[in-house]
Amino acid sequence: PAPPAVCENTAPAMTDTRPTPSPPMPPLPAAAAERLASLLRHIETIAPTFVGYPCSQDYSYPEIAPFLNYAINNVGDPFADSIYRENTFGFEREVVGFLQKHLRAPPDGTWGYMTAGGTEGNLYGLYLARELHPTGMIYYSEHTHYSAAKIVRVLNARSIMVRGQDNGEIDYEDLEEMLRLHRDVPPILFVNIGTTMHGAVDDIRRIRAMLKDLAITRYSIHADAALSGMILPWVDDPQPFGFDAGIDSIAVSGHKLIGSPMPCGVVLAKRAHVDRVARNVEYVGCMDTTIAGSRNALSPLVIWSAIQRWGEDGLRTRVRASLDLAEYAVQRMRAAGIPAWRHPNSVTVVFPRPRADVIARWQIAPSGDVAHIITMPHVTAETIDRVTAEIAASLSTAAPGAQP
């Protein structure tokens, strides 16, 4: 019999249809590199005159550089597991735990996360309070950080701005009168643990006694401790500032006393209040308990590294040196005829507003007829001597009654 016929394969030949991979990132153009170099030279030139704002710049974190090559992202609750495993949750939890210890927050009764800075921390604290008291009234001093009014608008919350004293503290008599007028509305009190301009600490115990006298039992207290939250834990006689003083939440900055190249902070709050807003998100496989979705995963490494380097004793020494320099600045200015002053446990030195050229050269923060310098760890006694001489000359040459 004849052999079976062989069927010839007429199908078209297979071709490689895989897409071309994305090319590697090209090098930075020479003109762009020069722009960055120029910016660096400019910052290096003005850095020695950075005395007016509460940001340290005496750090170096080379160990963080390798992580810039990865898309690390702390999306979600740092105390939960996430499908997005390129994160630094473990380090963030350690930072939060360190702050819990030193802000006197019971670990089992509080929760926290790292924020993009003090404003986010304040927003979170007031958000929790508003959820707890939907009809509540937010009270804040006229000396409170300027972001408070913005947060109130974002939350669409009722609010009252309370008068402030000349020393930066809230006007307790005005606050008591406002509370008495609105006793039917749960108060949400935004207290300052170191005001932006004066470094003043509102008296939490006095405010709580006021609430008790008025028989107000439903209220929340949020503390803005952006700078002083990392100063008061290390002094011998701090003003009341932590959870043991009766607060419900607190915001502290990481880029201030500790020091970080990117703004960051930590917010702590009572766990029961956080549980009210927590929602499970299938997309990332964890609870949504934070304001932001995607969050900086580098800043926990930075603050963790600083804590490992300094330790508790190092931070205590760091704070003592800054406070000693603040007192040195007050005495040097007074000796030069400048009526300078500061609050106890504060590195903010307040004095009459100098001329605009002095403000610009030393990056001094002004407000109305006063200004301040802040003796952060990078500021030296020699710098204080120089800025004092210029402020004194500026004030002595100002025309009587003229606006500096």
Side-chain angles (χ1 to χ4, degrees), residues 228-277:
S228 293
M230 273 291 96
I231 293 177
L232 296 181
W234 312 110
V235 301
D236 294 332
D237 188 23
Q239 300 93 321
F241 69 95
F243 280 81
D244 60 336
I247 63 172
D248 295 279
S249 56
I250 189 169
V252 178
S253 292
H255 59 285
K256 293 184 177 176
L257 195 285
I258 293 177
S260 167
M262 70 278 289
C264 61
V266 172
V267 62
L268 301 178
K270 290 182 176 178
R271 186 180 297 275
H273 299 172
V274 175
D275 290 343
R276 294 174 60 91
V277 303

Side-chain angles (χ1 to χ4, degrees), residues 3-256:
V6 177
C7 295
E8 190 172 320
N9 186 359
T10 57
M14 290 292 294
T15 59
D16 189 348
T17 58
R18 290 176 295 180
T20 302
S22 176
M25 179 178 282
L28 192 67
E34 175 51 34
R35 285 192 63 190
L36 290 179
S38 176
L39 173 62
L40 179 59
R41 290 191 296 269
H42 171 68
I43 292 175
E44 290 173 339
T45 299
I46 65 174
T49 62
F50 184 60
V51 300
Y53 294 89
C55 299
S56 300
Q57 56 178 17
D58 62 335
Y59 50 77
S60 177
Y61 299 108
E63 63 274 16
I64 306 302
F67 295 94
L68 293 173
N69 294 321
Y70 301 94
I72 56 177
N73 187 332
N74 281 12
V75 57
D77 188 325
F79 289 86
D81 293 326
S82 173
I83 297 173
Y84 198 110
R85 289 183 292 135
E86 289 188 31
N87 62 56
T88 60
F89 279 171
F91 294 85
E92 183 174 4
R93 289 192 293 268
E94 290 188 38
V95 172
V96 169
F98 184 83
L99 270 291
Q100 284 175 315
K101 175 181 177 181
H102 295 291
L103 296 175
R104 304 169 182 180
D108 293 338
T110 58
W111 175 93
Y113 76 96
M114 285 202 66
T115 66
T119 297
E120 182 184 343
N122 291 333
L123 171 60
Y124 192 77
L126 293 182
Y127 164 60
L128 293 181
R130 201 278 311 273
E131 292 298 291
L132 184 64
H133 305 295
T135 62
M137 179 84 74
I138 298 176
Y139 296 84
Y140 63 98
S141 161
E142 64 177 310
H143 294 310
T144 299
H145 189 267
Y146 63 85
S147 64
K150 176 169 53 181
I151 291 171
V152 167
R153 292 196 300 272
V154 168
L155 293 175
N156 194 28
R158 299 173 64 194
S159 67
I160 293 177
M161 178 185 285
V162 180
R163 285 196 298 266
Q165 301 180 57
D166 291 341
N167 70 355
E169 284 186 68
I170 196 168
D171 186 319
Y172 301 102
E173 293 180 359
D174 190 38
L175 174 61
E176 185 171 13
E177 181 62 22
M178 293 300 101
L179 290 170
R180 181 177 288 107
L181 289 173
H182 302 279
R183 284 183 59 197
D184 60 318
V185 178
I188 299 170
L189 296 141
F190 187 120
V191 301
N192 292 296
I193 307 300
T195 53
T196 304
M197 199 64 211
H198 304 90
V201 176
D202 293 332
D203 191 335
I204 298 174
R205 289 177 181 167
R206 181 173 178 178
I207 292 172
R208 292 188 69 207
M210 188 185 302
L211 295 167
K212 183 178 180 180
D213 289 344
L214 293 171
I216 297 174
T217 57
R218 294 186 303 139
Y219 63 86
S220 288
I221 299 177
H222 171 73
D224 179 2
L227 173 58
S228 293
M230 273 291 96
I231 293 177
L232 296 181
W234 312 110
V235 301
D236 294 332
D237 188 23
Q239 300 93 321
F241 69 95
F243 280 81
D244 60 336
I247 63 172
D248 295 279
S249 56
I250 189 169
V252 178
S253 292
H255 59 285
K256 293 184 177 176

